[in-house]
């Protein structure tokens, strides 16, 4: 990280809090463009990524989609990924109506172990899909754990729940930039809690918490980051 910081000419930040992380954790004292994150412009450009994703997986366009996208564990184990997907889907259908399917996006570090999940027509392997941002844009709900993807997905204001069955074990070996219990997302540790969280999900309260969180961290995401970076490169070459 020290080497990378010294050779970097510009870092791009999506929020004030991330700017501070760059300064404090990456040994970087160069220029920081507080313009948003180019990959997140996808959420603001109006493209129908649902149509693109459902067509790719041969899913009816009216089907509602939940994305399960956990991060990896240091020992590359998969025991923490113990969601009961039948309970997950039935809970979503009970609370929100419609026909739901789940896309599973495993981290590349454990992707080769994906056979522990028994995929079917309601549970679909999306780990090899090229661009996870397109999955974020297409899906209606996210289940994650400790991954940064929670923040990017919730830029859309669509629901996020954190399923962390190994919370005590995971936090004993890692620290976080934010207290996970103070994030705007419901945190659950087992399938029973997950079901209750979905069935009782309050969309208005959730969006209020997310808005307050993004205000607190000083979010810059407006869908204009790619243009800023391209203009910067052209002006400086």
């Amino acid at each position: 990280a020290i080497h990378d910081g010294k050779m970097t000419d510009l870092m791009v930040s999506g929020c004030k809090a991330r700017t501070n992380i760059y300064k404090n954790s990456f040994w970087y004292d160069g220029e920081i463009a507080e313009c948003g994150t180019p990959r997140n412009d996808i959420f603001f450009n109006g493209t129908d990524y649902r149509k693109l994703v459902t067509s790719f997986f041969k899913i009816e366009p009216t089907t509602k989609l939940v994305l399960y996208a956990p991060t990896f564990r240091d020992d590359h184990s998969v025991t923490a990924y113990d969601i009961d997907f039948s309970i997950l889907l039935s809970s979503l259908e009970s609370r929100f109506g419609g026909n739901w399917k789940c896309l599973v996006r495993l981290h590349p570090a454990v992707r080769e172990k994906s056979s522990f999940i028994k995929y079917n027509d309601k549970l679909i392997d999306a780990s090899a899909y090229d661009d996870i941002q397109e999955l974020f844009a297409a899906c209606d709900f996210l289940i994650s754990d400790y991954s940064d993807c929670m923040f990017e997905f919730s830029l859309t204001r669509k629901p996020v729940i954190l399923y962390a069955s190994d919370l005590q074990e995971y936090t004993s070996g890692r620290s976080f930039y934010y207290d996970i219990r103070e994030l705007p997302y419901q945190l659950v540790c087992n399938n029973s809690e997950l079901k209750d969280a979905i069935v009782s999900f309050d969309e208005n309260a959730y969006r209020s918490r997310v808005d307050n969180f993004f205000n607190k961290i000083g979010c810059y995401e407006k869908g204009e980051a790619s243009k800023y970076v391209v203009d910067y490169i052209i002006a400086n070459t």
Side-chain angles (χ1 to χ4, degrees), residues 6-149:
K6 288 180 178 179
M7 65 185 288
T8 299
D9 297 300
L10 178 72
M11 295 191 79
V12 180
S13 174
C15 66
K16 190 66 179 178
R18 189 167 293 273
T19 297
N20 293 332
I21 290 172
Y22 289 161
K23 293 177 179 178
N24 299 327
S25 300
F26 288 84
W27 293 274
Y28 180 76
D29 59 3
E31 186 175 355
I32 299 175
E34 295 179 318
C35 61
T37 313
R39 68 174 178 268
N40 290 335
D41 288 351
I42 193 174
F43 305 132
F44 302 88
N45 66 18
T47 301
D48 186 358
Y49 290 100
R50 173 185 291 276
K51 182 177 180 180
L52 182 68
V53 169
T54 55
S55 175
F56 180 88
F57 290 108
K58 296 180 174 56
I59 299 172
E60 284 294 321
T62 56
T63 300
K64 295 183 178 181
L65 301 173
V66 54
L67 177 65
Y68 178 49
T71 192
F72 72 99
R73 274 52 179 176
D74 287 335
D75 63 359
H76 291 189
S77 69
V78 296
T79 55
Y81 311 145
D82 60 349
I83 284 184
D84 186 319
F85 292 104
S86 62
I87 290 177
L88 169 63
L89 292 172
S90 63
S91 300
L92 289 166
E93 290 172 357
S94 175
R95 169 62 183 83
F96 298 100
N99 178 41
W100 284 78
K101 294 190 177 187
C102 180
L103 302 182
V104 178
R105 175 80 172 203
L106 296 178
H107 191 279
V110 293
R111 188 175 296 167
E112 74 279 1
K113 298 184 177 182
S114 67
S115 60
F116 77 94
I117 297 176
K118 306 304 179 186
Y119 295 105
N120 52 51
D121 66 324
K122 300 273 285 185
L123 185 61
I124 298 165
D125 184 0
S127 293
Y129 190 83
D130 282 343
D131 189 349
I132 194 172
Q133 305 300 117
E134 292 183 0
L135 298 181
F136 293 159
C139 290
D140 302 284
F141 208 110
L142 173 69
I143 307 294
S144 189
D145 44 24
Y146 318 108
S147 172
D148 256 10
C149 74

